[in-house]
């Protein structure tokens, strides 16, 4: 089961570009207006303007999780020299609840892909205890691996990503 869940993350190079390979142990559901995020599926920027609902289907009320949302394809996937751009961090989310029960460490920023197709990655980590996660210094040049290491989060317990690209190409004259 774990290998089947990891395959699209490997094919989409989320494993490698953003996170190490891991063993999924928690079910995480990410939805925008009742549309579930599935690995590698494309969502239009206009459908992801509101904050997504992120449900943690696992753990218990005594276990706490940190959610990271990041874009590894900044400014564009062919030359992502600004990798990664941080879109959201919620910490202290109790198991079996959703992100609204957690503490927003970095406020949600709407995905605005400019050049090419971007991956927007949601990564869930299990915390060792509450209130142990510190905010990063910047949204730019964020590094999910380094953030996890600095906050003693270990490997992810769940991850999912979607693709998005600019909906209308503005004609430049």
């Amino acid at each position: 089961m774990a290998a089947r869940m990891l395959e699209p993350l490997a094919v989409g190079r989320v494993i490698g570009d953003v996170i190490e390979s891991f063993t999924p142990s928690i079910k995480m559901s990410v939805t925008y207006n009742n549309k579930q995020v599935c690995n590698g599926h494309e969502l239009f920027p206009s459908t992801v303007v509101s904050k997504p609902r992120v449900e943690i289907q696992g753990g218990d009320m005594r276990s706490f999780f940190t959610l990271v949302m990041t874009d590894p394809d900044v400014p564009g996937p062919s030359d992502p020299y600004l990798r990664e751009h941080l879109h959201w961090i919620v910490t202290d989310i109790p198991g079996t609840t959703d992100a609204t029960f957690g503490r927003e460490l970095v406020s949600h920023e709407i995905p605005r892909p400019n050049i090419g197709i971007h991956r927007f990655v949601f990564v869930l980590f299990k915390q060792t205890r509450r209130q142990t996660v510190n905010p990063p210094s910047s949204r730019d040049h964020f590094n999910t691996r380094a953030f996890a290491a600095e906050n003693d989060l270990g490997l992810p317990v769940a991850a999912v990503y979607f693709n998005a690209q600019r909906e209308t190409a503005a004609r430049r004259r």
Side-chain angles (χ1 to χ4, degrees), residues 89-93 99-106 131-133:
I89 295 180
V90 184
T91 186
D92 297 337
I93 308 167
T100 61
F101 289 86
R103 189 168 55 95
E104 203 171 59
L105 204 59
V106 176
Q131 298 179 334
T132 53
V133 178

Side-chain angles (χ1 to χ4, degrees), residues 80-156:
Y81 63 90
L82 297 174
R83 171 178 296 165
E84 300 162 35
H85 184 77
L86 177 63
H87 280 268
W88 198 26
I89 295 180
V90 184
T91 186
D92 297 337
I93 308 167
T96 73
T97 69
D98 64 60
T100 61
F101 289 86
R103 189 168 55 95
E104 203 171 59
L105 204 59
V106 176
S107 63
H108 181 263
E109 186 179 282
I110 298 167
R112 287 196 184 92
N114 233 350
I115 305 165
I117 298 170
H118 288 233
R119 294 165 293 166
F120 292 91
V121 184
F122 294 88
V123 186
L124 191 70
F125 296 96
K126 189 172 195 287
Q127 296 168 220
T128 50
R129 56 193 185 284
R130 281 183 75 183
Q131 298 179 334
T132 53
V133 178
N134 297 306
S137 54
S138 168
R139 287 183 188 265
D140 299 318
H141 295 288
F142 179 76
N143 184 307
T144 300
R145 284 185 189 91
F147 174 78
E150 287 159 17
N151 289 286
D152 199 26
L153 293 170
L155 288 172

Side-chain angles (χ1 to χ4, degrees), residues 15 26-27 31 51 59 63 70 73 75 95 123 134 141 161:
I15 290 174
I26 295 287
K27 190 167 170 8
T31 51
K51 204 182 282 187
S63 49
T70 183
D73 300 314
V123 186
N134 297 306
H141 295 288
Y161 79 100

